[in-house]
Amino acid sequence: MPDVIAVDRMLPSTGAIGHALESYAAEAVGPDADLTRLHRVYYPVFRVEYRYEQDSRIPWGNDTSHAVTLLDGLWADNHAALQQYRSGTDAVESISLEPYDFGRDGPGLGRTVLLDFQVPTQRARRLLPERLADVTESRRIDDPDSITSSFVEELTETFGLPPAFEPEGFDGVVNVSRLYLPFWVCEVTRSDERDLIGAVRDIADVGDGDSGHEWLSAFFREDRSRLARYAHASIRRSGADAGGTDSSERRGSTTHEGDAGSDPETPPERSTEGENTEREPTDADQPLDATGTGAERTGPVQPEDVDLDAGSLVEPSPNRCFADVGGMERIYFHYSTIV
């Protein structure tokens, strides 16, 4: 796990966001709602800066422009949803991970979860050029204009391409950097219905259905094993070694961290989580089985700047609930010959 990471912004403290979430849950859901999970989640993204040429009406004008797109570091096809955060990545800051609780002292996930990059930087560097090359090839072989135009529209939405951008004007990737988008991810348990999972970045996001972070809430709701599955490899190993039980009860009401730059040992004014109770797993808790671009990756995580040819076999464990890292997939690696 890195000692220092780059982030686009800071988050409100545990106490402040926990109080806001508890108050909203009690008001919107009812007095039986308990805030049983609250994790600071660092979501990995690739910031890709690229150059493109555009028509200039002035003969001596500068017809070369730069733009930025964000690619999903989990390679889970969340590229389009990430484009709303592009402007905040123009100026990032570095923070130390030393003050945070990652659950290494016991089983289960800690208050903070660092999600792991699933592909090397070279692959992220190649994605946009390869997609744009497909457009060029489509036009070269005289595909119907409707097909090519639909493909361009899809790429524009997925990667947030500027209005003046034309695929033929693409002039290459200038820089690729890794950074993280922090979110508070919570789970509210109700006695009569399914649990609710939400994601916020600020207190103003609490109760705001238009905050723009619903994509992350839905991502974890679709498969509740994702938070633990995508956690950094060192977190998964420590959880497996510790025996595989959930530690939310231990951390939920007694351990609270401040954000980077604040005092992590300063307790909040009130507890941010209620007493956790186990529930029976449902169909929505079963891990998905999908392959290909934009799907769940079950293969070994490749280190940065290294391209490996490796196969994997995964035995999913379906009876896992949100944030349960123990007893995750048993992964067997079969290394083929690297040419």
Side-chain angles (χ1 to χ4, degrees):
M1 182 179 294
D3 297 326
V4 176
I5 62 173
V7 297
D8 69 323
R9 58 161 296 171
M10 308 301 290
L11 291 177
S13 66
T14 313
I17 199 67
H19 178 80
L21 288 169
E22 282 187 330
S23 298
Y24 176 73
E27 177 182 350
V29 180
D32 61 333
D34 286 329
L35 188 65
T36 52
R37 299 285 193 276
L38 184 59
H39 297 285
R40 178 191 290 103
V41 175
Y42 288 109
Y43 197 98
V45 298
F46 294 99
R47 183 182 187 274
V48 179
E49 181 182 358
Y50 58 93
R51 183 173 55 242
Y52 66 98
E53 297 179 356
Q54 55 183 342
D55 293 335
S56 176
R57 298 181 179 180
I58 304 176
W60 58 87
N62 183 4
D63 58 358
T64 300
S65 300
H66 288 238
V68 169
T69 186
L70 296 182
L71 302 184
D72 185 0
L74 300 184
W75 226 242
D77 203 24
N78 287 320
H79 311 299
L82 293 171
Q83 302 312 318
Q84 62 183 301
Y85 309 109
R86 280 179 300 169
S87 60
T89 65
D90 292 339
V92 299
E93 57 182 302
S94 298
I95 62 170
S96 170
L97 296 181
E98 193 276 332
Y100 298 130
D101 168 28
F102 292 97
R104 292 172 170 174
D105 58 340
L109 295 175
R111 172 74 72 197
T112 301
V113 183
L114 183 72
L115 302 183
D116 219 352
F117 282 91
Q118 299 298 303
V119 296
T121 302
Q122 295 100 318
R123 186 169 181 187
R125 181 183 293 273
R126 294 194 303 262
L127 181 60
L128 184 58
E130 288 176 353
R131 293 290 184 87
L132 294 174
D134 290 340
V135 176
T136 303
E137 177 65 13
S138 175
R139 289 175 174 169
R140 188 188 68 81
I141 63 177
D142 294 327
D143 278 342
D145 290 341
S146 59
I147 295 179
T148 304
S149 298
S150 177
F151 192 23
V152 172
E153 291 176 3
E154 180 183 354
L155 294 183
T156 299
E157 180 180 355
T158 300
F159 300 114
L161 303 178
F165 180 88
E166 290 292 339
E168 292 78 5
F170 179 70
D171 196 28
V173 172
V174 177
N175 181 61
V176 179
S177 57
R178 293 184 172 199
L179 58 95
Y180 293 85
L181 306 178
F183 297 88
W184 279 114
V185 175
C186 69
E187 182 178 65
V188 176
T189 300
R190 299 175 292 178
S191 60
D192 57 338
E193 298 182 55
R194 289 191 52 79
D195 299 346
L196 300 173
I197 296 176
V200 297
R201 303 196 87 191
D202 206 339
I203 292 178
D205 296 336
V206 178
D208 183 3
D210 298 324
S211 64
H213 314 313
E214 171 60 22
W215 66 272
L216 186 59
S217 304
F219 182 65
F220 290 130
R221 282 198 303 266
E222 288 169 0
D223 184 351
R224 293 175 179 241
S225 69
R226 282 172 170 163
L227 188 64
R229 183 195 315 163
Y230 286 125
H232 195 276
S234 63
I235 300 176
R236 295 197 302 270
R237 283 195 299 268
S238 64
D241 293 342
T245 58
D246 198 320
S247 63
S248 303
E249 297 88 343
R250 174 173 55 83
R251 295 186 182 87
S253 59
T254 60
T255 303
H256 301 276
E257 301 171 69
D259 216 324
S262 64
D263 182 4
E265 296 181 357
T266 302
E269 295 181 357
R270 58 180 292 178
S271 169
T272 63
E273 297 183 8
E275 182 181 356
N276 182 53
T277 57
E278 293 297 326
R279 59 178 176 80
E280 290 298 322
T282 64
D283 292 341
D285 295 321
Q286 308 303 315
L288 302 180
D289 183 12
T291 58
T293 302
E296 303 296 321
R297 286 180 54 83
T298 56
V301 176
Q302 301 186 52
E304 183 177 3
D305 300 328
V306 175
D307 239 338
L308 300 178
D309 180 18
S312 65
L313 177 65
V314 175
E315 177 184 312
S317 180
N319 296 324
R320 297 293 98 187
C321 66
F322 178 69
D324 187 355
V325 68
M328 292 300 294
E329 296 98 345
R330 297 169 52 206
I331 301 177
Y332 296 89
F333 297 101
H334 173 68
Y335 292 94
S336 59
T337 303
I338 301 176
V339 181

